Amino acid sequence: MKKGKLFIIIGVAVAVIAIGVVAAILLTRGEPKPVEIVYSEFFLDEAYSNLLSGENKKSIVKYKVCIQYTGEKTAEVLEKNKVKLMNNVDEIMRNTKLEDLEQPNGKEKLRVRIQSMVIDSLSLDDTIITDIFLNPFVIQ
């Protein structure tokens, strides 16, 4: 009789421990927490550039490029290559037609060209440079 009670007590104890372990696993598992993405901004200096235009048209654009990015070390890479990026943006502006900017989504297409240039010229992953903003952007 003593052995029977001992087996029952051990059985109940094992069952309680097993239920506790299963409950702990289920409660701690839950849904994975989403990774928080931190966006930062890097500004190139304000600049002026001529736009590609016809013989009688002279157009100048005033702009300031803001590069939105992710990644801790991206700012260092951008700062190190700031002059190169400013030169490349100027090249893009000089090869952009005023008529193209006046089209629907013309400015958006320009932003995409600048974003592609930044990614390509710095050999970055295309998820690191998330957007390009042009503010101010004035054509005269």
Side-chain angles (χ1 to χ4, degrees):
M1 195 66 139
K2 290 183 182 183
K3 285 185 181 181
K5 286 183 182 181
L6 183 61
F7 284 126
I8 292 174
I9 292 173
I10 291 175
V12 170
V14 169
V16 168
I17 292 172
I19 291 171
V21 169
V22 169
I25 289 172
L26 292 176
L27 290 176
T28 58
R29 240 172 99 188
E31 292 183 26
K33 295 178 184 176
V35 176
E36 184 178 331
I37 299 173
V38 177
Y39 295 98
S40 301
E41 297 173 343
F42 182 84
F43 292 90
L44 298 179
D45 297 337
E46 188 172 273
Y48 295 84
S49 183
N50 293 320
L51 294 174
L52 189 62
S53 56
E55 294 176 17
N56 296 330
K57 284 188 171 181
K58 297 277 183 182
S59 297
I60 296 175
V61 63
K62 173 184 171 181
Y63 60 91
K64 186 171 186 175
V65 176
C66 173
I67 303 169
Q68 185 182 60
Y69 66 91
T70 62
E72 296 175 11
K73 298 190 180 199
T74 307
E76 295 171 21
V77 174
L78 292 170
E79 184 64 44
K80 185 177 178 181
N81 292 283
K82 186 174 183 177
V83 173
K84 177 181 179 179
L85 293 174
M86 289 178 63
N87 180 69
N88 290 352
V89 170
D90 186 60
E91 292 281 330
I92 289 172
M93 292 297 183
R94 290 179 181 273
N95 289 304
T96 299
K97 294 180 183 178
L98 174 62
E99 295 81 23
D100 293 339
L101 291 174
E102 292 172 339
Q103 297 297 318
N105 298 327
K107 188 175 172 186
E108 174 64 26
K109 291 175 184 175
L110 177 63
R111 290 174 48 220
V112 169
R113 285 178 58 201
I114 294 171
Q115 183 176 5
S116 296
M117 176 276 298
V118 172
I119 291 167
D120 293 344
S121 64
L122 301 181
S123 301
L124 295 173
D125 184 344
D126 62 355
T127 61
I128 292 175
I129 304 299
T130 56
D131 211 342
I132 298 291
F133 303 105
L134 298 169
N135 193 15
F137 187 80
V138 180
I139 300 173
Q140 294 182 342

